[in-house]
Amino acid sequence: MNLRGRSMARRTISAGACVVLVGGSASACFAEQSAMPAVRDFLVAWEVGNYPAAAGHTMGADQGQVAAALGGVRSQLDAASLKLDMLKIVKKGDTATAQFAVKIDLGENGEPWTYNSSMNLRRAGSGWKIEWDPSIIHPSLKQGQRLAVVTRVPSRSPIQDQNAKTVLRSVPADLVGVVPGELKDPKATIDQMVKTTKIEGGRRLDGERLLGRVRSAPPQKFLPLLTLERSSGDKLIERLKQVDGLRFQVVRIPIQPQFAPEVVGRLGAATADRLQQVGAPYQPGDTIGVSGLQLLLQRRLAGTPAIDVVAQDPEGRQVTKLRSWEGHDPAPIVTTLDRRIQPRADRALAKVKYPASLVAVRPGTGDVLAVSNHDTGGRDEAMEGHYPPGMAFSFITADALLQNGVPKSTQVECPATADVGGQTVSNPSGKAARTGILERAFSVNCATSLAQLATKLPPQALSQSAARFGLGKDWGGIFPSYAGTIPATANDGQKALVATGQGGVTTSPLAMAAAAAAVSSGVWRPPFITKDPVDTPSAQAKVLDAVATGDLKRMVRRSVQSGAAKDANVDSGGQVSGVSAVVNYQEGGQAKTVSWFVGFRDDMAFAIAVEGKVNAAKIASTFLNGAQPSAPSTTKPPQGTTPGTGGQRPPNGTGGGQTPGHTPGNGTNPTMQPTRKP
């Protein structure tokens, strides 16, 4: 309500007519000397925060105490706004009763607290005064009581593997908080805590929001404000122990990912920039997911806390519940990650001296079985990396050739270099190979052969082949991923470059693993990483040409049997098929290298990308020697994973909520224990 605007309207009416306000069977007609101006001015002053002016319209109590009581409503509720609306006034001689509506916003985008209250007035000289009573603030508020917000936060649900076992590890942590009623100077305590605590990226805790939380909480109860994982040698907790008023509780909480941390994600404080990602109903200071699935499905994992607004005495012995908002239970996330394959992927990369990534996919369903990132600085290069594939792209080119009438038995030459359409293409080995059939040239990574044959292709053939294997498409789905970029080819030179995985072609390990899975199964399926909620990528599955795919399978098998990828040919666990490549390229004016292996064995396809010159096929053999795929899940794959079907992406969770978070490593990334608003 805009009380000032309404008061002007009422003045205009009263100048030429008599305003009638009815209450029960009584009615009265008021002029400017009625009780209405006192009620109006009191409500306006209270609403805009001029508490001394509001108290000046009262009688029967010390005006300083009245001003403090009125001002305490906002702080005790940590209210975002207070709106007051006059309803009616009933006059009986020298007394009157005024009724008004209260609307208090307890948090951004939450359901407001609304109720009606009343006040008694008495004529005082030529005007009217309000007889002060705490029940004016709320009808159930008694002398000596204050308002408080009690938040009942549900335990955050876990993220689980494909067999519904948690992938989170419980670790010791310190809950840092306060008992609000014991603080000598709440603002000084919070300011010092904020100054002492630093968050990665230069972020800071929201001191104003924390102070509001402290003031609105029950004074006598411990209020957690910060959760810090304990780690060896950490000095932050010791520094915080020097802050007057802070208290500490040691707990064990399941917050640390056992594996695939870039997928699982972590928790952190809801700073302003992070709030832009998650939106309502979160507020500064809440604990939220800040990466991975913890962020993407924050609302599902956290649920919605239950909120009580209460009236209580300072000791908390007499508590009257005034309003409640029921919460929503959190729900776990069941991923497709395989507990047997994921650790073996991690071990395969553990000793690599360069940043490296590995993704494993089940061809029969599209399940992502493992996501491993080694020394990537927290970046999920396995799912989102942008790398040129070089000759790892060769099976896409081979498919285009097979689909366009160039059989695998075609006789080809393999010079060390070749000029094709004005572009110079060189073999990765720098050497020529003897003349032979396409299948053999493919197996030894003869880039010059593929580049020359590519001139026989129609302009769109390579991009069409890439699209059949999901490259360059928008898959949709819950988890972010990069499907690659395939430039158009308008001339022979461009065909030669794209055919050999150059000329602006980029892709991710996930995209290449999904493409290899299509060779294995004969059907390209969009990869997905959650079973519950069911991830339904928007991209539809696509059945590949059976004849061309059969020839392609023999070609990639030969590459491992006797070709460039022969070091991936392990002795047990089924036949291995795949391609390998070392790609030198320029990025941002810097020379870079990426080494690839892309292949499959039985019902598991995978891709490895290493940001340096290594034998990726040997890394593949290390992975395969220790990684036996589990039996296919009996859970039905999401829509779009069988030929001719598709689906829409589900919403990223429902509800809202939070839980204490953690500090990876050295404990300097604090997370907030929230007081949730409805």
Tab-separated table of all heavy atoms in Angstrom, residues 459-483:
chain	number	residue	atom	x	y	z
A	459	PRO	N	30.084	-31.506	-50.880
A	459	PRO	CA	30.464	-30.476	-49.899
A	459	PRO	C	29.964	-30.748	-48.479
A	459	PRO	O	30.658	-30.437	-47.511
A	459	PRO	CB	29.840	-29.200	-50.476
A	459	PRO	CG	29.758	-29.457	-51.943
A	459	PRO	CD	29.477	-30.921	-52.087
A	460	GLN	N	28.770	-31.325	-48.345
A	460	GLN	CA	28.200	-31.514	-47.009
A	460	GLN	C	28.460	-32.897	-46.416
A	460	GLN	O	27.997	-33.195	-45.313
A	460	GLN	CB	26.681	-31.288	-47.068
A	460	GLN	CG	26.270	-29.916	-47.572
A	460	GLN	CD	26.830	-28.810	-46.706
A	460	GLN	OE1	26.837	-28.899	-45.481
A	460	GLN	NE2	27.326	-27.759	-47.355
A	461	ALA	N	29.200	-33.742	-47.103
A	461	ALA	CA	29.338	-35.135	-46.679
A	461	ALA	C	29.991	-35.277	-45.305
A	461	ALA	O	29.545	-36.077	-44.471
A	461	ALA	CB	30.131	-35.919	-47.728
A	462	LEU	N	31.060	-34.513	-45.068
A	462	LEU	CA	31.759	-34.651	-43.785
A	462	LEU	C	30.906	-34.155	-42.622
A	462	LEU	O	30.851	-34.796	-41.564
A	462	LEU	CB	33.090	-33.900	-43.838
A	462	LEU	CG	34.164	-34.547	-44.720
A	462	LEU	CD1	35.321	-33.590	-44.955
A	462	LEU	CD2	34.659	-35.846	-44.083
A	463	SER	N	30.232	-33.026	-42.796
A	463	SER	CA	29.374	-32.534	-41.713
A	463	SER	C	28.187	-33.451	-41.503
A	463	SER	O	27.730	-33.643	-40.361
A	463	SER	CB	28.912	-31.107	-42.014
A	463	SER	OG	28.175	-31.059	-43.228
A	464	GLN	N	27.671	-34.057	-42.577
A	464	GLN	CA	26.572	-35.000	-42.429
A	464	GLN	C	27.016	-36.253	-41.683
A	464	GLN	O	26.285	-36.776	-40.831
A	464	GLN	CB	26.014	-35.363	-43.805
A	464	GLN	CG	25.252	-34.229	-44.470
A	464	GLN	CD	24.882	-34.524	-45.909
A	464	GLN	OE1	25.374	-35.506	-46.498
A	464	GLN	NE2	24.048	-33.687	-46.504
A	465	SER	N	28.197	-36.732	-41.982
A	465	SER	CA	28.719	-37.894	-41.272
A	465	SER	C	28.942	-37.568	-39.799
A	465	SER	O	28.583	-38.354	-38.919
A	465	SER	CB	30.034	-38.356	-41.907
A	465	SER	OG	30.555	-39.473	-41.212
A	466	ALA	N	29.525	-36.392	-39.524
A	466	ALA	CA	29.729	-35.981	-38.132
A	466	ALA	C	28.406	-35.914	-37.389
A	466	ALA	O	28.300	-36.352	-36.228
A	466	ALA	CB	30.433	-34.624	-38.096
A	467	ALA	N	27.372	-35.391	-38.058
A	467	ALA	CA	26.060	-35.287	-37.416
A	467	ALA	C	25.492	-36.658	-37.106
A	467	ALA	O	24.808	-36.841	-36.077
A	467	ALA	CB	25.108	-34.502	-38.312
A	468	ARG	N	25.732	-37.650	-37.971
A	468	ARG	CA	25.243	-39.012	-37.684
A	468	ARG	C	25.841	-39.546	-36.398
A	468	ARG	O	25.227	-40.358	-35.697
A	468	ARG	CB	25.581	-39.951	-38.853
A	468	ARG	CG	24.692	-39.793	-40.054
A	468	ARG	CD	24.880	-40.945	-41.038
A	468	ARG	NE	26.151	-40.895	-41.737
A	468	ARG	CZ	26.371	-40.211	-42.855
A	468	ARG	NH1	25.390	-39.513	-43.406
A	468	ARG	NH2	27.547	-40.230	-43.444
A	469	PHE	N	27.042	-39.082	-36.061
A	469	PHE	CA	27.710	-39.530	-34.839
A	469	PHE	C	27.572	-38.511	-33.704
A	469	PHE	O	28.325	-38.551	-32.734
A	469	PHE	CB	29.185	-39.807	-35.134
A	469	PHE	CG	29.408	-41.037	-35.955
A	469	PHE	CD1	29.391	-40.985	-37.343
A	469	PHE	CD2	29.604	-42.268	-35.349
A	469	PHE	CE1	29.584	-42.112	-38.110
A	469	PHE	CE2	29.799	-43.409	-36.100
A	469	PHE	CZ	29.783	-43.333	-37.496
A	470	GLY	N	26.625	-37.599	-33.854
A	470	GLY	CA	26.311	-36.663	-32.771
A	470	GLY	C	27.229	-35.483	-32.647
A	470	GLY	O	27.067	-34.663	-31.735
A	471	LEU	N	28.207	-35.340	-33.538
A	471	LEU	CA	29.166	-34.247	-33.429
A	471	LEU	C	28.591	-32.969	-34.022
A	471	LEU	O	27.986	-32.978	-35.098
A	471	LEU	CB	30.462	-34.613	-34.147
A	471	LEU	CG	31.189	-35.856	-33.610
A	471	LEU	CD1	32.430	-36.154	-34.443
A	471	LEU	CD2	31.554	-35.684	-32.159
A	472	GLY	N	28.772	-31.860	-33.294
A	472	GLY	CA	28.277	-30.577	-33.753
A	472	GLY	C	26.803	-30.363	-33.507
A	472	GLY	O	26.233	-29.366	-33.972
A	473	LYS	N	26.153	-31.269	-32.781
A	473	LYS	CA	24.716	-31.157	-32.516
A	473	LYS	C	24.485	-30.628	-31.098
A	473	LYS	O	25.348	-30.736	-30.220
A	473	LYS	CB	24.040	-32.516	-32.666
A	473	LYS	CG	24.178	-33.129	-34.051
A	473	LYS	CD	23.569	-34.518	-34.115
A	473	LYS	CE	22.072	-34.494	-33.975
A	473	LYS	NZ	21.468	-35.826	-34.165
A	474	ASP	N	23.308	-30.068	-30.878
A	474	ASP	CA	22.905	-29.665	-29.535
A	474	ASP	C	22.143	-30.829	-28.920
A	474	ASP	O	21.000	-31.098	-29.263
A	474	ASP	CB	22.011	-28.417	-29.600
A	474	ASP	CG	21.573	-27.953	-28.213
A	474	ASP	OD1	22.094	-28.482	-27.214
A	474	ASP	OD2	20.699	-27.070	-28.145
A	475	TRP	N	22.787	-31.530	-27.981
A	475	TRP	CA	22.159	-32.712	-27.409
A	475	TRP	C	21.038	-32.371	-26.429
A	475	TRP	O	20.103	-33.121	-26.246
A	475	TRP	CB	23.203	-33.554	-26.659
A	475	TRP	CG	24.330	-34.017	-27.494
A	475	TRP	CD1	24.342	-34.180	-28.852
A	475	TRP	CD2	25.636	-34.388	-27.044
A	475	TRP	NE1	25.567	-34.627	-29.276
A	475	TRP	CE2	26.379	-34.766	-28.184
A	475	TRP	CE3	26.236	-34.448	-25.804
A	475	TRP	CZ2	27.705	-35.192	-28.103
A	475	TRP	CZ3	27.554	-34.874	-25.724
A	475	TRP	CH2	28.277	-35.239	-26.853
A	476	GLY	N	21.180	-31.240	-25.743
A	476	GLY	CA	20.274	-30.973	-24.635
A	476	GLY	C	20.655	-31.839	-23.443
A	476	GLY	O	21.741	-32.412	-23.379
A	477	GLY	N	19.777	-31.932	-22.467
A	477	GLY	CA	20.062	-32.735	-21.282
A	477	GLY	C	20.424	-31.870	-20.099
A	477	GLY	O	20.605	-30.652	-20.208
A	478	ILE	N	20.532	-32.507	-18.948
A	478	ILE	CA	20.739	-31.792	-17.688
A	478	ILE	C	22.157	-31.251	-17.569
A	478	ILE	O	22.368	-30.092	-17.211
A	478	ILE	CB	20.420	-32.725	-16.497
A	478	ILE	CG1	18.917	-32.997	-16.433
A	478	ILE	CG2	20.906	-32.109	-15.175
A	478	ILE	CD1	18.521	-33.980	-15.343
A	479	PHE	N	23.143	-32.099	-17.874
A	479	PHE	CA	24.525	-31.732	-17.575
A	479	PHE	C	25.164	-31.032	-18.771
A	479	PHE	O	24.978	-31.448	-19.916
A	479	PHE	CB	25.332	-32.975	-17.203
A	479	PHE	CG	26.522	-32.671	-16.347
A	479	PHE	CD1	26.388	-32.581	-14.972
A	479	PHE	CD2	27.765	-32.443	-16.909
A	479	PHE	CE1	27.485	-32.290	-14.172
A	479	PHE	CE2	28.863	-32.154	-16.119
A	479	PHE	CZ	28.719	-32.075	-14.739
A	480	PRO	N	25.942	-29.966	-18.550
A	480	PRO	CA	26.579	-29.258	-19.673
A	480	PRO	C	27.624	-30.124	-20.352
A	480	PRO	O	28.352	-30.880	-19.713
A	480	PRO	CB	27.210	-28.034	-19.004
A	480	PRO	CG	27.386	-28.417	-17.570
A	480	PRO	CD	26.239	-29.333	-17.249
A	481	SER	N	27.683	-30.014	-21.658
A	481	SER	CA	28.644	-30.796	-22.429
A	481	SER	C	28.906	-30.064	-23.744
A	481	SER	O	28.188	-29.148	-24.116
A	481	SER	CB	28.104	-32.203	-22.707
A	481	SER	OG	26.862	-32.130	-23.397
A	482	TYR	N	29.948	-30.492	-24.423
A	482	TYR	CA	30.317	-29.881	-25.706
A	482	TYR	C	30.314	-30.970	-26.764
A	482	TYR	O	31.043	-31.960	-26.676
A	482	TYR	CB	31.693	-29.238	-25.603
A	482	TYR	CG	32.180	-28.622	-26.901
A	482	TYR	CD1	31.473	-27.595	-27.517
A	482	TYR	CD2	33.355	-29.067	-27.495
A	482	TYR	CE1	31.923	-27.024	-28.699
A	482	TYR	CE2	33.821	-28.499	-28.677
A	482	TYR	CZ	33.105	-27.478	-29.273
A	482	TYR	OH	33.547	-26.914	-30.442
A	483	ALA	N	29.462	-30.774	-27.781
A	483	ALA	CA	29.311	-31.781	-28.825
A	483	ALA	C	30.232	-31.551	-30.004
A	483	ALA	O	30.279	-32.380	-30.916
A	483	ALA	CB	27.858	-31.819	-29.304
